[in-house]
Amino acid sequence: MQPRARVPTLSDVESPTEDELERARALAAGVVAGDRTTLARAITLVESTRAQDARVARALIAEILPRTGSALRVGISGTPGAGKST
């Protein structure tokens, strides 16, 4: 079994490049428009452990957060097979 990749923290993540900011803006526009494919890509990006993805994910969340109104963010964790999806 391979060791799990360490998830980058905010202090590990550099500022996003202009290209990364543009990618985040494009993803945010698709999510806000209700595009399910873009939403799936955004979720995958936010869950990624790659430092490059973490920069884009942080920019994506910053772009979407002001449009969430009074929505709450909920994190569900648990062991594999525990039923987190249901």
Side-chain angles (χ1 to χ4, degrees), residues 34-45:
D35 182 347
R36 292 176 131 189
T37 302
T38 303
L39 175 60
R41 287 187 180 125
I43 291 170
T44 299
L45 178 77

Side-chain angles (χ1 to χ4, degrees), residues 3 10 19 21 25 40 47 50 54 57 61 65-67 81 83:
L10 284 179
D19 288 341
L21 285 173
R25 288 183 194 114
E47 291 177 340
R50 295 178 59 216
I61 291 171
L65 203 56
R67 303 174 193 190

Side-chain angles (χ1 to χ4, degrees), residues 1-45:
M1 189 165 140
Q2 294 182 1
R4 293 184 67 165
R6 188 175 80 76
V7 177
T9 63
L10 284 179
S11 60
D12 296 332
V13 179
E14 298 172 7
S15 296
T17 65
E18 204 53 48
D19 288 341
E20 290 168 340
L21 285 173
E22 186 55 39
R23 181 177 172 210
R25 288 183 194 114
L27 284 168
V31 169
V32 170
D35 182 347
R36 292 176 131 189
T37 302
T38 303
L39 175 60
R41 287 187 180 125
I43 291 170
T44 299
L45 178 77

